[in-house]
């Protein structure tokens, strides 16, 4: 996803060392994310090389799957941690997973360009999303991670609903409908899965939190607090499990960004966040995003963040 909006931050200059401001901002996120930023602040060395090494070491403990696999082929030993609470740990909890975009959007420009009300203004129903330079689409990536995430959450007893799946209509649904699906399900947590389409060299993940909006059909005042809690937990666990660094181009190193221009967040009445798992246009991130083993880690990190949030809510 590469939307822009009133709270979208322009790319930040890349610096070999992070200053005190970054360390202070990192206090917003839990231990794993804080540890990363503190390490950078004290001059830990080349972030990209460390991330590659950490990812390589962690891959020995992950499930192996092909880049084109629509769903996980099994659960690795490492995934046992994600299901440590047992089959009834999340009984009665509802999670809505929103796999961003749709493969068919490319063939339905008229439909997805239709304007819908997002509270603050009107915006396109949806977009095509992005892809790697080799053509692996964001829509394909998000659905695969969603399937893996559903498996992990259902193992703990959660009821999981999708906004779209493989048998969904050929395009969409629109962003306002995606929000309504979570609202109608009375979700205890909702997450929209994406990958970004920024410039080469822009790396890392970030979690998008809803800002305070009270306009038109949108009123996020009741969900801003719990959504921030959900987002910080997801960010910390995603970092720990995947080794993917916080974004170096938005979020000032915290891995968190607040926005008020996304209909999927503005129109939500349940705690909800977006996660941009990496940059599909960066060669290093693309190598991870197209790996089935890494996507399993991504699903595990997201799952653990959601489970942590639900156990406290």
């Amino acid at each position: 996803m590469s939307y822009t909006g009133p709270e979208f931050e322009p790319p930040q200059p890349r610096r070999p060392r992070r200053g005190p401001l970054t360390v202070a901002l990192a206090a917003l996120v839990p231990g794993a994310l804080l540890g990363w930023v503190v390490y950078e602040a004290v001059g830990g060395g080349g972030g990209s090389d460390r991330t590659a090494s950490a990812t390589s070491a962690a891959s020995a403990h992950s499930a192996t799957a092909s880049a084109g696999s629509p769903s996980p082929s099994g659960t690795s030993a490492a995934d046992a941690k994600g299901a440590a609470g047992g089959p009834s740990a999340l009984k009665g909890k509802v999670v809505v997973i929103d796999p961003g975009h749709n493969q068919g959007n490319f063939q339905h420009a008229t439909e997805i360009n239709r304007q819908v009300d997002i509270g603050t203004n009107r915006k396109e129903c949806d977009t095509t999303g992005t892809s790697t330079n080799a053509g692996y689409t964001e829509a394909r990536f998000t659905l695969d991670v969603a399937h893996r995430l559903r498996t992990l959450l259902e193992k703990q007893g959660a009821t999981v609903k999708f906004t779209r799946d493989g048998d969904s209509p050929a395009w969409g649904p629109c962003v306002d409908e995606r929000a309504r699906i979570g609202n109608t399900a009375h979700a205890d947590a909702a997450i929209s899965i994406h990958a970004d389409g920024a410039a080469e060299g822009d790396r890392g993940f970030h979690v998008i939190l809803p800002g305070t909006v009270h306009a038109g059909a949108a009123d996020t005042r009741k969900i801003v607090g719990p959504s921030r809690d959900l987002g910080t937990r997801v960010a910390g666990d995603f970092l720990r499990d995947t080794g993917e660094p916080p974004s170096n181009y938005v979020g000032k190193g915290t891995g968190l960004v607040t926005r008020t221009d996304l209909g999927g967040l503005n129109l939500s009445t349940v705690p909800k966040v977006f996660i941009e798992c990496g940059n599909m246009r960066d060669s290093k991130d693309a190598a991870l995003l197209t790996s089935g083993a890494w996507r399993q880690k991504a699903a595990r990190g997201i799952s653990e963040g959601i489970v942590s949030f639900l156990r406290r809510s």
Side-chain angles (χ1 to χ4, degrees):
M1 184 178 74
S2 54
Y3 295 129
T4 58
E7 294 191 5
F8 184 82
E9 302 176 38
Q12 303 293 317
R14 301 184 70 185
R15 297 186 294 274
R17 296 170 67 92
R18 299 192 187 276
L21 176 61
T22 300
V23 179
L25 287 168
L28 293 171
V29 294
L33 191 53
L34 176 60
W36 172 275
V37 181
V38 170
Y39 187 69
E40 289 288 287
V42 298
S48 297
D49 292 341
R50 287 197 315 278
T51 302
S53 298
T55 303
S56 175
S59 65
H61 303 289
S62 282
T64 302
S66 67
S69 173
S71 61
S73 57
T75 302
S76 69
D79 289 324
K81 179 174 63 173
S88 62
L90 299 181
K91 185 177 181 180
K93 299 293 186 180
V94 177
V95 179
V96 169
I97 302 174
D98 176 29
H101 310 291
N102 188 318
Q103 283 283 95
N105 284 0
F106 290 95
Q107 286 78 44
H108 293 270
T110 299
E111 291 89 345
I112 67 167
N113 285 328
R114 176 173 62 84
Q115 299 283 300
V116 298
D117 181 13
I118 65 166
T120 50
N121 60 293
R122 297 185 69 82
K123 201 166 183 178
E124 294 86 355
C125 157
D126 201 357
T127 73
T128 60
T130 188
S131 67
T132 66
N133 293 330
Y136 180 65
T137 66
E138 181 182 1
R140 187 175 167 196
F141 167 82
T142 63
L143 190 58
D144 181 87
V145 173
H147 282 145
R148 297 169 186 271
L149 176 57
R150 177 173 62 188
T151 297
L152 294 171
L153 292 172
E154 287 182 341
K155 283 179 182 288
Q156 298 200 61
T159 297
V160 179
K161 299 180 183 295
F162 277 18
T163 60
R164 73 172 180 94
D165 206 346
D167 58 354
S168 295
W171 59 273
C174 295
V175 294
D176 55 343
E177 177 60 20
R178 289 173 187 258
R180 276 195 295 272
I181 291 170
N183 299 344
T184 301
H186 301 290
D188 295 287
I191 188 160
S192 188
I193 301 171
H194 289 269
D196 216 351
E200 174 75 30
D202 289 344
R203 284 205 63 200
F205 78 92
H206 62 279
V207 176
I208 304 175
L209 313 173
T212 301
V213 174
H214 184 210
D219 186 355
T220 62
R221 291 174 294 177
K222 291 183 179 180
I223 69 161
V224 166
S227 295
R228 173 167 286 274
D229 184 23
L230 171 63
T232 56
R233 291 172 187 277
V234 168
D237 286 322
F238 189 86
L239 168 63
R240 186 187 64 235
D241 284 352
T242 66
E244 176 77 345
S247 170
N248 63 9
Y249 59 100
V250 292
K252 299 183 176 70
T254 67
L256 301 174
V257 176
T258 300
R259 290 176 61 172
T260 60
D261 64 313
L262 299 177
L265 295 180
N266 287 359
L267 300 174
S268 182
T269 60
V270 300
K272 184 176 181 179
V273 297
F274 280 41
I275 182 167
E276 298 280 3
C277 296
N279 176 20
M280 300 196 96
R281 293 292 184 172
D282 175 78
S283 56
K284 292 180 179 178
D285 272 4
L288 299 176
L289 296 165
T290 54
S291 162
W294 188 88
R295 292 196 300 274
Q296 188 67 22
K297 297 178 193 176
R300 189 168 68 244
I302 296 169
S303 171
E304 288 169 359
I306 292 172
V307 170
S308 173
F309 170 76
L310 292 178
R311 285 179 175 169
R312 288 179 61 88
S313 61

